[in-house]
Amino acid sequence: MDRTAARAAAMKLVYEWEMGGNGGEDTIIGLVEVPCEDKERGYIEGIVAGVKERRAEIDGWIEKYAVGWKLERISRVDFSILRVAVYELLQKEEPDPVILNEAVELAKTYSTDRAGAFVNGVLGSISRARN
């Protein structure tokens, strides 16, 4: 699995958690098909744990920069994509443009036609505010 697929898996697990799931071993192996020996497994688990741990901070960033949107109105898929990307932006382990591009591609793949622009706008504002 490459890093792009790992981000998609992390987003799916964050979404599953958002919808009331627990992201357990059966979910990791069955839903997102990440075997125990996959080299990106630790990366995926780190993102999911980080999003859960820093949820209030991450949601605060999203709420501040999703101008005109209440968190409850953002689709759960878009919200999961944003949470993963904001967590990564806060971690500063990858360049911001890479994180933004990957998030926009996730939105284009898993959400509506207009989601890519929305995700890009929110994350671009957060990236500029942090730098």
Side-chain angles (χ1 to χ4, degrees):
M1 169 178 292
D2 64 12
R3 188 55 56 99
T4 298
R7 278 191 182 90
M11 180 274 297
K12 290 174 185 177
L13 290 170
V14 168
Y15 174 82
E16 191 257 352
W17 167 69
E18 170 74 24
M19 301 308 289
N22 67 0
E25 190 67 23
D26 290 341
T27 303
I28 294 171
I29 293 172
L31 175 67
V32 294
E33 300 175 343
V34 181
C36 295
E37 64 277 358
D38 194 292
K39 65 182 171 83
E40 295 292 351
R41 175 103 180 222
Y43 171 79
I44 295 165
E45 291 172 344
I47 288 178
V48 174
V51 167
K52 289 177 180 180
E53 181 180 303
R54 297 177 75 178
R55 175 180 153 184
E57 178 186 10
I58 291 166
D59 290 359
W61 281 98
I62 295 168
E63 187 169 38
K64 182 174 182 178
Y65 291 99
V67 179
W69 286 82
K70 298 262 185 227
L71 295 183
E72 307 81 47
R73 286 190 53 225
I74 299 172
S75 89
R76 297 299 91 183
V77 170
D78 296 348
F79 200 36
S80 298
I81 293 167
L82 288 168
R83 279 179 162 166
V84 167
V86 171
Y87 174 76
E88 285 198 285
L89 288 171
L90 296 174
Q91 289 300 102
K92 299 180 184 180
E93 293 176 6
E94 297 275 349
D96 287 9
V98 170
I99 296 166
L100 271 64
N101 183 60
E102 296 266 334
V104 169
E105 291 304 315
L106 284 172
K108 288 178 181 178
T109 301
Y110 293 101
S111 192
T112 65
D113 292 339
R114 297 179 7 194
F118 173 71
V119 165
N120 188 56
V122 173
L123 295 176
S125 295
I126 293 170
S127 176
R128 285 187 297 278
R130 283 185 40 262
N131 295 322

